[in-house]
Amino acid sequence: MTDDRLTRRRALAVSGLALTGGLAGCGSDSDGGGPGGDPASPDGTATEGPGADTDGDTDGPTDAGGSPTAGDGSPGTAAFEDLTVRAERVASGFTSPLALAIPERGRRFVVDQAGQIYLQEDGSLREEPFLDVSDRMVDVSGYSEQGLLGAAFHPDFSDNGRFFVRYSAPPRGWVPDDYSHTFVLSEFRADPGAATADPDSERVVMEIAQPQSNHNAGAVAFGPDGYLYVATGDGGQANDQGVGHVDDWYDAVDGGNGQDITENLLGSMLRIDVDGEGSTAGTATGSGNGSAGSDGPARNYAVPDDNPLVGGEGLDEQWAWGFRNPWRFSFGPEGRLLVGDVGQGAWEEVSVVERGGNYGWNVREGTDCFRADDCPSESPRGRPLRDPVIEYPHGGAAVSGIAVIGGYLYGGDAMPDLQGRYLFADWRAGGRLFAAREVDEGLWPTTTVSIDADEQFGPMVLSFGRNPDGELFVCTTAQGQVTGESGAVFRLSGV
């Protein structure tokens, strides 16, 4: 990163505005050989998105009258309110801002997919990165779903200075030759009040061999229980098939990591104890000190005793499975975990995820059977395939898109009309967000939310963030590639 660019970032940063806690992401599908081309047209309009496929039905199902429907035949995208929010830009000049974090008031961290974490302190964005891991990553220039994909600060960061980052590294020595790269989750340390972290403090916590370049998920976050939750995609390529995908129990679609719980950790939400001593979990152990090596993937953590597969068949780290590309997730009231899972060619979905839940991929896409006229409602173990609480089609409706960006249940004061609503988006936002109203049974009604912005908003949304007061922020970009300086962070409020 050049000095000129850093100077511009500082010049574009807006002083004195709070920038706080959250997440973000980017991608597309092809025939399995990597990204499916340039996801943005010359005018900046996105044509593909995070894990979106180009070989599926992009129009989505319709009812007898031609209106898009939810998977159960009931209207799934009918507006229930006329909503508008104001978006005020609080920082800009980033390449691809994928996450926000605020371990303590007054110190805010912006995670850039290109490999840097930047500190905004007292309203001023520092030029020197807080941490730069770009020299440890694969090349992410141009279109890529790889890079620095997530960060989470330890709940006791103000005392112990520990934080965790998730990035895409070149294949380790133990990774199969025909695989794409290595999923790396590492711990770093910093003086809690310092302007930079110690790049030499890296301790590799978890590694996973990634067969394809896409469907990498990337978000990490500490739950209310103090454990670290880690989202993993299904390994890439369309249909959850191809190199790096194992046989599973469902015969209608040939294989798939989403329905596997014994061979790898892909297509899942993981839950680990990073405060535990050592590890007996996973398929192999690393060198023991967390350094990269050729002996096998690092597993430097413990597993909570109440994870659902502990003591039974399956990998102990698993918390829930049956996901395609769980791009962003968040915790709501009472610790509820809400996960946005990017669909393939027809449906996008958000689920309330529970311990031991199977969320259907690749048996289902949303509430619909995937590549079959009929499909089971439960796994061979007798466990139900759980439906999402939100789904929307890829075309023909007000609430539609190509790649869901998971958000938050709103609990702040700045947007009273959104109190208790789940605010989320699609990667191809087109100057709008979505909101859903929780109901006791069935799919949550969804509606569009108009944006009144003081600067260009998007047109792509990468993630949402939340501060300790429950107020929300949105990370956007005008580029469909990991390039340029159009990445920005907006604070949301009422109009």
Side-chain angles (χ1 to χ4, degrees), residues 87-98:
E88 182 180 20
R89 194 175 70 182
V90 297
S92 61
F94 304 102
T95 298
S96 182
L98 298 187

Side-chain angles (χ1 to χ4, degrees), residues 3-358:
D3 290 340
D4 286 345
R5 181 176 162 192
L6 288 170
T7 301
R8 181 173 184 269
R9 176 176 288 111
R10 167 169 281 187
L12 290 175
V14 180
S15 301
L17 297 176
L19 173 63
T20 52
L23 309 167
C26 222
S28 82
D29 251 354
S30 66
D31 60 2
D38 184 351
S41 63
D43 65 358
T45 302
T47 57
E48 298 174 19
D53 269 308
T54 59
D55 56 359
D57 171 15
T58 58
D59 293 328
T62 61
D63 63 18
S67 299
T69 65
D72 62 358
S74 60
T77 56
F80 56 86
E81 290 169 293
D82 182 15
L83 296 172
T84 300
V85 299
R86 176 163 177 74
E88 182 180 20
R89 194 175 70 182
V90 297
S92 61
F94 304 102
T95 298
S96 182
L98 298 187
L100 308 175
I102 178 165
E104 55 193 357
R105 295 186 184 279
R107 290 169 56 82
R108 305 115 190 180
F109 296 86
V110 183
V111 179
D112 203 320
Q113 186 180 357
Q116 298 78 31
I117 299 177
Y118 287 95
L119 169 62
Q120 187 181 36
E121 191 169 26
D122 298 326
S124 178
L125 194 66
R126 291 185 176 271
E127 294 181 4
E128 181 182 3
F130 177 74
L131 178 71
D132 189 338
V133 296
S134 58
D135 61 343
R136 307 166 202 209
M137 299 187 336
V138 297
D139 178 21
V140 294
S141 60
Y143 176 78
S144 181
E145 293 186 38
Q146 303 169 101
L148 179 55
L149 300 178
F153 286 75
H154 193 281
D156 296 326
F157 174 77
S158 60
D159 294 323
N160 61 31
R162 300 170 63 197
F163 65 102
F164 299 80
V165 301
R166 157 85 165 84
Y167 65 88
S168 307
R172 306 296 202 208
W174 48 268
V175 173
D177 291 341
D178 54 354
Y179 274 37
S180 167
H181 65 282
T182 308
F183 162 121
V184 176
L185 173 68
S186 285
E187 174 187 333
F188 288 85
R189 291 180 179 261
D191 183 314
T196 59
D198 179 4
D200 296 327
S201 66
E202 180 174 14
R203 175 178 178 271
V204 179
V205 174
M206 172 185 283
E207 295 172 314
I208 299 175
Q210 294 278 176
Q212 309 290 341
S213 63
N214 56 357
H215 300 190
N216 296 318
V220 292
F222 283 93
D225 53 14
Y227 295 124
L228 188 64
Y229 290 71
V230 181
T232 67
D234 66 10
Q237 189 165 327
N239 309 321
D240 200 4
Q241 296 175 333
V243 172
H245 296 268
V246 301
D247 292 334
D248 66 9
W249 59 269
Y250 184 54
D251 294 333
V253 180
D254 186 21
N257 293 324
Q259 289 302 314
D260 168 69
I261 58 173
T262 61
E263 299 300 319
N264 59 54
L265 297 173
L266 298 173
S268 302
M269 292 295 301
L270 313 179
R271 180 178 181 251
I272 60 175
D273 179 2
V274 295
D275 295 325
E277 302 248 347
S279 174
T280 57
T283 56
T285 56
S287 58
N289 63 359
S291 59
S294 60
D295 296 336
R299 295 284 187 265
N300 292 292
Y301 51 83
V303 173
D305 292 339
D306 60 346
N307 272 13
L309 301 182
V310 171
E313 181 183 10
L315 300 176
D316 291 350
E317 296 95 329
Q318 302 265 15
W319 180 251
W321 46 92
F323 297 99
R324 183 175 179 274
N325 189 21
W327 177 242
R328 305 288 90 172
F329 66 87
S330 64
F331 291 93
E334 300 176 351
R336 287 196 304 170
L337 175 58
L338 292 99
V339 177
D341 193 17
V342 178
Q344 181 156 300
W347 294 105
E348 300 300 310
E349 62 186 274
V350 178
S351 295
V352 176
V353 171
E354 298 179 355
R355 175 184 183 273
N358 183 335

